[in-house]
Amino acid sequence: MEPLRSVDENTLTTPRRTREGGRQGRREKRTAPSQALHRPFIARNIPPYEVLSEENLMRIEAAADRILAEVGIEFRGDDEALAMWRKAGADVCGELVRFAPGMLREILKTAPAEFTQLARNRENSVRIGGKNVVFAPAYGSPFVMDLDKGRRYGTLEDFRNFIKLAQSSPWLHHSGGTICEPVDVPVNKRHLDMVYSHIRYSDRPFMGSVTTDERAQDCIDMCRLLFGEQTVEDNCVILGNVNVNSPLVWDGMATKVIRTYARANQAAVIVPFILGGAMGPVTNAGAIAQALAETMAGCALTQLERPGAPVIFGNFLSSIALRSGSPTFGTPEPAVGSLVVGQLARRLKLPLRCSGNFTTSKLPDAQAMGEGTMSMLAAVHCGANFILHSAGFLDGLLSMSYEKFVMDTDLCGALHTYLDGVTVDDNSLALDAFPEVGPGNHFFGCAHTMANYQTAFWDSDMADNEPFEKWSDAGSVDAATRANRLWKKRLEDYQAPEIDGSVDEALQAYVARKKASVEDQWY
């Protein structure tokens, strides 16, 4: 195996390379195994939005402190967590824990503001925190869908297909986690197949199981086989995304998973799931205060387990249709709320996971892309460092869409250029071009255009920019149909990254041994 080496942001960020061969050639190069355009993560060059004043941020923080001190949070079914809180000085009464103002902020001072998650291909390791942005696929859908077969339960083959599609895209940085539920594998064994699939079919970072602490431990043990015991002890190599039982409840299964990851020096992503009007107030400020209280408590628990363990401050604000009670995604109130959550996370000096490509649309259509674009722009503008649900999210997260996956990765490509900002130097100012072209003439053939045209503009894999007549003559193909053709071609062209044979054998043996040790459970 490749030896561990130090990871430096400057050496990991790959500059844009010259592209050749015209539009079609550039498209082919983007889907080629070389991944010439791939960057392991984005180092953003535009600042996050600061939408609330210091006074209003302090009011939200004070509201969160009141919730923590006067109402408290229940920690159910984890006596060790309760003992930790009692030792740390919290007021523990049964399973209800109350926290003095400022207590959690003090505990969180040991959490790192930035950390690196290693990939088995070290060139694909990601830096989480600071000005860095990491795009990961959507997570957790029980169903999958495409234009050919419609909506159906996900399988292990679907799960692996989405890993391959993520690996094939230069615009995603992370392999993700439970991209879809492989329901054809027993519930108590599918985590083994999922983590092995991430390892085998991708060489980017990935996430592990959070359904029980034993399954989380299996994922960590598989990482020890992949990376080596000491590397896992010293570095983050896997993430676990854990949800709060909002409002104001941390279930024991979740806290045990959090502590399992933290104990091994691996990162838990702490995420309240607040649907305004159901699991939290209908008003943005109240929901944000609740989210802050719940998230700080979960993040602080990692530091009680192991001071200095990496942790990600997560957020999932959403809304509901109050006339029906149905969840809604990609709406403006949670989007602007994410901007405020970003400010609060930066005040805590914690890496942030926020928003994603959210939609309740049932098809990869205009509603899907409109709602998804709103929530993705909120994610990048709030300063999120780890953006889960960047691609494939459809049907209120109930379905993972093949077509929307490639449509969303195309948007991620545009966001790479957007987050690069505006370069101002001698070349970009183009002062030599103006006297060459002169007033009233065009820039098509001037020396500056010829020197820069191959890298000047981002080039979509999905958009049709031809004249109407040419588009019509070619069959009037819409975006979803183009996406259908594109994901099939990418799977056809996919090549698995190489893996050390002895490591692969050890992982397969581990999976087989663990599966043989327990009976199948299907619920």
Side-chain angles (χ1 to χ4, degrees), residues 123-388:
E123 292 184 357
N124 288 333
S125 298
V126 296
R127 187 74 178 164
I128 298 176
K131 294 184 177 181
N132 308 306
V133 182
V134 174
F135 291 147
Y139 181 109
S141 300
F143 299 101
V144 300
M145 64 168 63
D146 60 54
L147 296 185
D148 305 301
K149 300 178 183 178
R151 187 177 189 254
R152 60 201 185 274
Y153 280 108
T155 65
L156 186 59
E157 180 183 4
D158 290 310
F159 184 87
R160 289 173 173 169
N161 282 343
F162 282 114
I163 292 174
K164 294 173 183 178
L165 289 174
Q167 174 74 11
S168 299
S169 172
W171 309 124
L172 293 178
H173 313 109
H174 204 277
S175 192
T178 306
I179 306 181
C180 68
E181 283 285 350
V183 300
D184 55 338
V185 181
V187 170
N188 61 332
K189 298 179 180 180
R190 65 181 61 157
H191 66 288
L192 300 165
D193 287 315
M194 288 192 288
V195 169
Y196 174 75
S197 296
H198 279 298
I199 293 170
R200 183 63 189 90
Y201 299 108
S202 175
D203 61 3
R204 297 178 184 175
F206 56 89
M207 306 176 79
S209 175
V210 295
T211 50
T212 71
D213 53 325
E214 292 88 355
R215 295 169 196 168
Q217 187 62 56
D218 283 342
C219 299
I220 294 166
D221 289 342
M222 291 175 72
C223 287
R224 289 175 173 142
L225 292 173
L226 176 64
F227 291 96
E229 294 270 352
Q230 195 58 50
T231 298
V232 174
E233 175 64 22
D234 296 339
N235 300 274
C236 177
V237 300
I238 190 169
L239 307 180
N241 189 78
V242 187
N243 286 118
V244 185
N245 283 15
S246 302
L248 304 177
V249 173
W250 270 107
D251 179 78
M253 193 64 71
T255 57
K256 289 174 185 177
V257 167
I258 289 171
R259 294 193 296 107
T260 298
Y261 278 105
R263 191 181 312 122
N265 199 31
Q266 304 308 303
V269 189
I270 308 298
V271 190
F273 182 17
I274 298 176
L275 296 176
M279 290 99 87
V282 294
T283 49
N284 236 341
I288 292 167
Q290 175 187 331
L292 177 60
E294 293 175 341
T295 311
M296 282 199 300
C299 290
L301 184 60
T302 69
Q303 301 308 293
L304 295 186
E305 182 67 46
R306 179 167 173 163
V311 64
I312 298 176
F313 184 103
N315 180 68
F316 197 117
L317 292 175
S318 198
S319 51
I320 61 172
L322 292 173
R323 285 173 292 187
S324 67
S326 298
T328 53
F329 295 95
T331 50
E333 294 86 1
V336 73
S338 296
L339 304 181
V340 178
V341 172
Q343 290 182 272
L344 295 168
R346 285 190 293 279
R347 289 160 74 87
L348 290 169
K349 296 181 173 60
L350 292 175
L352 173 65
R353 181 223 136 171
C354 204
S355 291
N357 201 310
F358 297 165
T359 181
T360 47
S361 180
K362 313 309 180 288
L363 293 171
D365 57 9
Q367 178 187 343
M369 296 312 293
E371 291 172 345
T373 299
M374 171 165 284
S375 55
M376 277 298 281
L377 285 175
V380 300
H381 284 305
C382 79
N385 306 112
F386 181 69
I387 303 180
L388 198 60

Side-chain angles (χ1 to χ4, degrees), residues 32-34 164 167-168 201 490-498:
S34 64
K164 294 173 183 178
Q167 174 74 11
S168 299
Y201 299 108
R490 287 185 174 169
L491 286 182
E492 180 183 344
D493 294 344
Y494 166 83
Q495 295 181 10
E498 294 183 2

Side-chain angles (χ1 to χ4, degrees), residues 316-499:
F316 197 117
L317 292 175
S318 198
S319 51
I320 61 172
L322 292 173
R323 285 173 292 187
S324 67
S326 298
T328 53
F329 295 95
T331 50
E333 294 86 1
V336 73
S338 296
L339 304 181
V340 178
V341 172
Q343 290 182 272
L344 295 168
R346 285 190 293 279
R347 289 160 74 87
L348 290 169
K349 296 181 173 60
L350 292 175
L352 173 65
R353 181 223 136 171
C354 204
S355 291
N357 201 310
F358 297 165
T359 181
T360 47
S361 180
K362 313 309 180 288
L363 293 171
D365 57 9
Q367 178 187 343
M369 296 312 293
E371 291 172 345
T373 299
M374 171 165 284
S375 55
M376 277 298 281
L377 285 175
V380 300
H381 284 305
C382 79
N385 306 112
F386 181 69
I387 303 180
L388 198 60
H389 306 308
S390 291
F393 187 121
L394 206 61
D395 188 23
L397 194 53
L398 290 175
S399 300
M400 190 74 176
S401 164
Y402 280 85
E403 285 80 23
K404 188 162 184 288
F405 191 94
V406 294
M407 294 166 77
D408 291 345
T409 57
D410 201 58
L411 174 60
C412 289
L415 290 173
H416 276 68
T417 297
Y418 187 76
L419 288 167
D420 281 343
V422 177
T423 299
V424 180
D425 57 19
D426 289 345
N427 176 64
S428 63
L429 288 170
L431 291 177
D432 291 341
F434 290 98
E436 178 187 347
V437 174
N441 298 313
H442 66 72
F443 284 75
F444 282 129
C446 77
H448 183 266
T449 299
M450 298 306 294
N452 290 277
Y453 79 94
Q454 291 177 318
T455 57
F457 301 123
W458 171 74
D459 195 6
S460 169
D461 287 340
M462 280 295 310
D464 187 304
N465 300 313
E466 301 293 350
F468 181 90
E469 293 76 13
K470 190 172 181 180
W471 169 79
S472 180
D473 290 344
S476 307
V477 179
D478 62 15
T481 303
R482 292 195 297 273
N484 179 269
R485 295 171 180 173
L486 183 56
W487 72 255
K488 291 174 181 176
K489 184 177 190 311
R490 287 185 174 169
L491 286 182
E492 180 183 344
D493 294 344
Y494 166 83
Q495 295 181 10
E498 294 183 2
I499 187 170

